[in-house]
């Protein structure tokens, strides 16, 4: 092992150690250590003129464009307006209302972003809990698990899927077709599961009438902005669906949508700069460099060679990626896990393995994301909001106790689904 390889391996281990156990500045440290690898020229291909081949600018551009669009939708009051409308529509049938809200959560996370969905929907859940004098914990746990399931249904709904999409080359439509049905199945089962944990008694029914006093129109701060933002958002989603037909990258579509909204609303980039999650973007950039370093020093190939022994057992090569995602995503965080194992699967597919290994990993990873607070950024955001609301600590063990059964149920359904897909495809 060369000195450069040893130093690179140490930096990678330190980086992932901080991602798992660190509490603050993960994005800064991850990107900083990645720059150290590049600056010291420990591996090839990280020169400034080549960096765009390592960092997936299509993914980062897509995220940035969607953040701009979401910023305008959120500023206009659209999300709160729509949620109040749904609550009023449900009336005294509380669990029906809650189911409708979870449909909103699933759709929002599928076509926007997991973190944005939690930021928008968590305050609505707390508002409902306060009005109905309910415990907010089960409402937030339900919202979070549905957020991760809904985001797992599309290419753009989850950063985990974005990374897998960029490595595998699968399209927006591929993700919806393969992952959408699994998410729908799990959604229906988990709504039944949570029904026994969210008790609706006579006092709650009587308190529901208070919701009639809310005027959803007051939630809208700018009607013109809302209408234009919604029109642009829908146009962007339609273009996402047909992007392979028109030959335009997803990042260009999302960024142009954001540009249109900035121009129509006569705003500059400074208006939305504080709404863009810069930590997420630099975290991703750093992880792409770290992943490239792992691949360059041969770790990725070594892992792939270890799995080549299972080439004759296609069934095992569905179960193994499924198990890897279920184990490592809740520990490492979903994006680092995707960047570690994605290149491995790309090598295996190049050797003739079924592309079904991508979907086995994707389904398991998306469903396992909810298991621990470490699984994704939105998990941490939800806990932060919850602790602020309930005025006490909501620790790791308490979180896992709430999530262990929903995640187990999701994974069982996901495994049966992927085995069914495999049987049909044979």
């Amino acid at each position: 092992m060369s000195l450069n390889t040893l130093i690179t391996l140490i930096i990678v281990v330190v980086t992932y150690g901080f991602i798992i156990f660190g509490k603050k500045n993960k994005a800064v440290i991850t990107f900083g250590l990645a720059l150290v690898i590049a600056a010291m020229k420990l591996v090839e291909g990280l020169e400034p003129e080549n960096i765009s081949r390592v960092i997936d600018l299509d993914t980062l551009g897509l995220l940035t464009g969607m953040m701009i669009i979401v910023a305008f939708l959120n500023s206009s009051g659209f999300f709160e307006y729509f949620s109040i409308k749904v609550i009023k529509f449900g009336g005294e049938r509380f669990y029906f209302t809650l189911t409708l809200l979870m449909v909103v959560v699933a759709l929002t996370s599928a076509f926007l972003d997991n973190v944005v969905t939690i930021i928008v929907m968590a305050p609505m859940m707390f508002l409902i809990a306060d009005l109905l004098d309910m415990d907010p914990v089960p409402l937030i746990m339900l919202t979070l698990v549905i957020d991760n399931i809904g985001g797992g249904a599309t290419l753009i709904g989850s950063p985990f899927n974005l990374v897998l999409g960029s490595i595998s080359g699968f399209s927006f439509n591929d993700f919806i077709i393969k992952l959408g049905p699994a998410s729908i199945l799990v959604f229906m089962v988990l709504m039944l599961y949570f029904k026994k944990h969210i008790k609706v008694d006579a006092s709650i029914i009587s308190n529901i009438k208070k919701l009639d006093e809310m005027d959803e129109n007051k939630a809208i701060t700018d009607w013109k902005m809302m209408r234009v933002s919604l029109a642009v958002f829908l146009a962007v989603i339609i273009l996402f669906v047909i992007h392979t037909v028109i030959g335009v990258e997803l990042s260009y579509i999302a960024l142009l949508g954001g540009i249109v909204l900035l121009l129509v609303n006569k705003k500059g980039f400074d208006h939305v700069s504080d709404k863009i999650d810069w930590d997420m973007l630099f975290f991703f950039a750093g992880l792409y460099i770290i992943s490239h370093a792992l691949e360059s020093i041969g770790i990725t190939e070594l892992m792939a060679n270890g799995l080549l022994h299972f080439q004759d057992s296609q069934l095992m090569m569905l179960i193994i990626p499924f198990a890897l995602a279920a184990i490592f995503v809740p520990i490492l965080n979903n994006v680092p896990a995707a960047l570690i194992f994605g290149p491995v699967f790309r090598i295996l597919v190049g050797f003739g393995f079924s592309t079904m290994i991508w979907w086995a990993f994707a389904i398991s990873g998306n469903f396992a994301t909810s298991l621990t607070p470490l699984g994704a950024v939105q998990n941490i955001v939800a806990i932060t909001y919850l602790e602020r609301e309930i005025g006490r600590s909501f620790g790791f063990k308490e979180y896992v106790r709430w999530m262990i059964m929903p995640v187990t149920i999701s994974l069982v359904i996901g495994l049966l689904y992927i085995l069914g897909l495999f049987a049909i495809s044979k």
Side-chain angles (χ1 to χ4, degrees), residues 169-317:
F170 286 121
S171 70
F172 183 85
N173 291 349
D174 290 329
F175 274 82
I176 290 182
I177 292 169
K178 289 295 195 300
L179 303 186
S183 293
I184 292 170
L185 280 172
V186 172
F187 176 91
M188 292 189 294
V189 173
L190 290 188
M191 288 308 301
L192 293 174
Y193 169 80
F194 270 93
K195 191 171 184 179
K196 68 178 182 179
H197 293 282
I198 300 175
K199 305 296 182 183
V200 181
D201 54 27
S203 64
I204 290 177
I205 295 297
S206 64
N207 286 335
I208 286 176
K209 295 178 180 178
K210 296 178 182 178
L211 296 177
D212 291 331
E213 300 173 6
M214 298 175 67
D215 183 2
E216 64 273 16
N217 291 316
K218 291 182 179 179
I220 302 298
T221 58
D222 189 325
W223 282 96
K224 178 187 174 183
M225 181 187 291
M226 186 196 79
R227 293 188 183 102
V228 174
S229 301
L230 193 57
V232 169
F233 168 68
L234 293 174
V236 165
I237 296 303
I238 292 170
L239 291 173
F240 280 169
V241 174
I242 63 172
H243 82 101
T244 53
V245 177
I246 61 178
V248 180
E249 285 76 10
L250 295 176
S251 58
Y252 291 156
I253 295 170
L255 286 169
L256 284 171
I259 293 295
V260 168
L261 286 178
L262 287 169
L263 291 173
V264 170
N265 290 284
K266 299 178 181 178
K267 303 292 185 182
F269 286 109
D270 59 322
H271 177 75
V272 293
S273 61
D274 62 331
K275 306 296 191 303
I276 293 174
D277 192 338
W278 296 107
D279 272 2
M280 179 188 291
L281 297 177
F282 280 102
F283 183 59
F284 273 28
L287 284 173
Y288 277 119
I289 295 173
I290 295 294
S291 177
H292 171 80
L294 276 176
E295 195 166 357
S296 297
I297 63 176
I299 298 299
T300 300
E301 188 175 356
L302 186 66
M303 294 168 68
N305 289 336
L307 294 173
L308 281 175
H309 301 294
F310 297 98
Q311 190 167 12
D312 295 331
S313 177
Q314 292 193 53
L315 185 61
M316 280 299 295
M317 275 313 299

Side-chain angles (χ1 to χ4, degrees), residues 38-146:
M40 294 180 66
K41 296 180 172 55
L42 297 175
V43 298
E44 295 181 357
L46 294 178
E47 298 79 15
E49 62 269 20
N50 295 325
I51 202 69
S52 63
R53 299 176 184 176
V54 175
I55 298 174
D56 189 346
L57 297 180
D58 191 47
T59 296
L60 299 188
L62 171 59
L63 285 170
T64 304
M66 293 308 295
M67 287 175 189
I68 294 172
I69 294 171
V70 168
F72 279 103
L73 277 171
N74 199 26
S75 296
S76 70
F78 169 75
F79 294 113
E80 187 175 353
Y81 168 84
F82 188 73
S83 297
I84 295 172
K85 275 282 191 185
V86 172
I87 293 169
K88 284 191 171 184
F89 179 77
E92 295 182 12
R93 299 166 296 174
F94 177 69
Y95 208 76
F96 174 70
T97 301
L98 191 59
T99 301
L100 291 178
L101 281 171
M102 290 306 107
V103 170
V104 173
V105 169
L107 290 174
T108 304
S109 61
F111 293 106
L112 293 179
D113 174 80
N114 297 111
V115 179
V116 171
T117 302
I118 288 298
I119 291 171
V120 170
M121 295 305 298
M124 287 303 304
M125 292 298 108
F126 293 137
L127 175 63
I128 292 171
D130 287 341
L131 288 170
L132 305 183
D133 196 22
M134 295 178 63
D135 180 6
V137 172
L139 294 181
I140 291 299
M141 292 295 100
L142 172 61
T143 302
L144 181 57
V145 76
I146 296 299

